[in-house]
Amino acid sequence: GQQLNQSPQSMFIQEGEDVSMNCTSSSIFNTWLWYKQDPGEGPVLLIALYKAGELTSNGRLTAQFGITRKDSFLNISASIPSDVGIYFCAGSEYGNKLVFGAGTILRVKS
Amino acid sequence: DAGVTQSPTHLIKTRGQQVTLRCSPKSGHDTVSWYQQALGQGPQFIFQYYEEEERQRGNFPDRFSGHQFPNYSSELNVNALLLGDSALYLCASSLGTGASTNEKLFFGSGTQLSVL
């Protein structure tokens, strides 16, 4: 079945640093999405990408849809303590059947 | 405007029992999807309901079944529970089923199911 490989699995960063995480797939997706999940909550959409090569920003977050449609990355600039959480990439071929990665756990040293 | 609400928030069952989880979609949404999230993993798609019918299904056995009511709320039923069914069950709602609705997919906080 489809699988998304997300890396790194976890990371500690210093407040103010930039963060980068990525996601690769063995399958092509038409949509890539990035979610953040806080403890005890469901995932919340951060950025949605619909076109190969697309680069989209949402505040301090920037994500890109890879040209091959098999990968995506998410960058967070100038990290702050509230960026702590689990970040998931997700791909979709059609409809709302999303395939999720295993997540990147972000911990910030204040 | 209430978002996606799920009940109960926590549930403990024993092996072999049956469980029903409930979801009310965000106001104005007509489509409900269910996901299973095991500890340390990303959510896995179980199935999606639209117009009271199952429209898409993931790789889950028939022990997992669902229902959507005329008011768009939904239930997830799991029969003959196994220890491996212990997970966070997430409901997500959206309007319609097209690819362009992905950005408007809203998740509830989930039901944490523990099977002993």
Side-chain angles (χ1 to χ4, degrees), chain A residues 3-7 22-26 32 72 89 100-103:
Chain A
Q3 281 189 325
L4 295 186
N5 298 307
Q6 198 170 341
S7 65
N22 65 74
C23 203
T24 60
S25 168
S26 56
W32 280 92
S72 177
C89 61
F100 282 83

Side-chain angles (χ1 to χ4, degrees), chain A residues 72-110:
Chain A
S72 177
F73 72 75
L74 174 71
N75 287 337
I76 305 173
S77 62
S79 56
I80 59 178
S82 62
D83 289 335
V84 163
I86 306 178
Y87 291 79
F88 291 100
C89 61
S92 172
E93 288 183 333
Y94 59 90
N96 290 324
K97 178 181 176 181
L98 300 180
V99 178
F100 282 83
T104 292
I105 302 171
L106 188 63
R107 300 182 176 97
V108 178
K109 300 177 197 175
S110 58

